Amino acid sequence: MASFAQWIEGARPRTLPNAVSPVIAGTGAAAWLDAAVWWKALLALAVSLALIVGVNFANDYSDGIRGTDDVRSGPLRLVGSKLASPRAVLTAAIVSLAVGAVAGLALAVTSAPWLIAVGAVCIAGAWLYTGGKKPYGYQGLGEVAVFIFFGLVAVLGTQYVQALRVDWVGLVLAVAMGSLSSAVLVANNLRDIPTDAQTGKITLAVRLGDVRTRVLFQVLVGVAMVLTLVLMLATPWAAAGLVALPLAARAAAPVRRGLGGKDLIPVLRDTGLTMLVWALAVSIPLAFH
């Protein structure tokens, strides 16, 4: 049986900045409109965290029963390593997604009922990434989904439930968050190109190949840094986002040097930290403009 620490590792805590950062950015965008609501921000954070943990366990389950994780150089997978039964991991995924659904329902009821439909699409997207008969994560669409769900939807949704509208600042933040979140997945899939190709998991990295995937990663990280300059049109203090540059450079270094396998695992951590620091650095000036 998996230990508590192994269950925590199976939830992939290195991906949590992908959930926290968009909510910070969306709340900063709402504060820019003088409409931040702290309890709605906390509910949005609960939704985002529950969904990312749910999708991580769902991926563990679906990849595990397909045999995709039988040979793996990345973080621990519970089913693939035989530390937990597929049913136990599936239960963890369902519970996590249910928690997200309840928090999302509370947000929708107190903001706009049509958001219930958006939440349903998000949950379906979480499951169908590697679940179902034709998972879109196996068709090279994972990065697109991450950009949409953990960029556009997460940031603009967080801004909307608080301010009941979105604006160009929210959109710029959403594109930056989507790019950085996608970069995390690109790094993950870059590491897994050899094993994914063998098991028939045709990710975008498998389609692009090693060299072009490395270029894509650096472009995605660079987009957020460039958008910092755009946000300076709102307030010059948004330049504080450039404090994330050293972290971004550290994240890109192993990718640029051509490293692979386990040597790419720190890239996920450093890209997540880049995202978190950037979101905080630009959101605080927007909130206190």
Side-chain angles (χ1 to χ4, degrees):
M1 289 182 62
S3 66
F4 178 76
Q6 288 169 328
W7 274 102
I8 295 297
E9 188 177 354
R12 304 189 70 179
R14 285 193 178 99
T15 65
L16 295 186
N18 293 58
V20 175
S21 303
V23 176
I24 292 173
T27 301
W32 165 253
L33 296 175
D34 297 318
V37 182
W38 69 268
W39 62 269
K40 287 189 175 183
L42 290 178
L43 272 178
L45 181 61
V47 172
S48 192
L49 286 170
L51 286 183
I52 203 163
V53 171
V55 75
N56 286 340
F57 281 133
N59 293 347
D60 191 312
Y61 166 78
S62 297
D63 284 343
I65 62 173
R66 284 190 171 91
T68 308
D69 288 338
D70 287 351
V71 179
R72 181 177 172 81
S73 60
L76 174 73
R77 286 296 184 96
L78 295 165
V79 176
S81 61
K82 307 296 191 295
L83 286 170
S85 69
R87 184 169 185 174
V89 176
L90 176 60
T91 300
I94 292 172
V95 169
S96 299
L97 294 175
V99 169
V102 171
L105 183 61
L107 264 181
V109 169
T110 56
S111 303
W114 59 265
L115 289 173
I116 295 173
V118 176
V121 171
C122 290
I123 291 174
W127 176 253
L128 295 174
Y129 173 53
T130 54
K133 294 182 178 179
K134 293 184 178 180
Y136 63 83
Y138 283 45
Q139 307 301 319
L141 297 174
E143 286 78 2
V144 175
V146 166
F147 182 86
I148 292 172
F149 292 123
F150 288 98
L152 301 183
V153 173
V155 175
L156 294 177
T158 299
Q159 184 185 28
Y160 184 84
V161 296
Q162 297 179 66
L164 297 182
R165 65 187 179 99
V166 298
D167 71 340
W168 72 270
V169 170
L171 181 60
V172 172
L173 289 166
V175 172
M177 286 293 99
S179 297
L180 289 171
S181 288
S182 296
V184 173
L185 184 57
V186 168
N188 183 76
N189 290 341
L190 171 64
R191 182 199 63 224
D192 293 339
I193 285 177
T195 53
D196 284 346
Q198 290 175 8
T199 56
K201 186 176 182 179
I202 311 302
T203 62
L204 181 60
V206 172
R207 291 183 184 277
L208 292 177
D210 186 274
V211 174
R212 287 188 290 181
T213 300
R214 293 176 189 274
V215 172
L216 175 61
F217 175 85
Q218 294 174 78
V219 168
L220 289 170
V221 173
V223 164
M225 300 302 108
V226 171
L227 289 178
T228 306
L229 306 180
V230 177
L231 288 170
M232 289 175 65
L233 296 174
T235 171
W237 295 105
L242 296 176
V243 302
L245 262 175
L247 282 171
R250 189 172 77 177
V255 176
R256 191 171 56 253
R257 287 161 50 198
L259 300 183
K262 292 184 177 180
D263 292 330
L264 288 174
I265 293 177
V267 177
L268 277 68
R269 176 201 62 205
D270 291 340
T271 308
L273 286 174
T274 300
M275 188 187 327
L276 188 58
V277 170
W278 188 87
L280 283 168
V282 298
S283 296
I284 292 173
L286 288 170
F288 295 96
H289 64 281

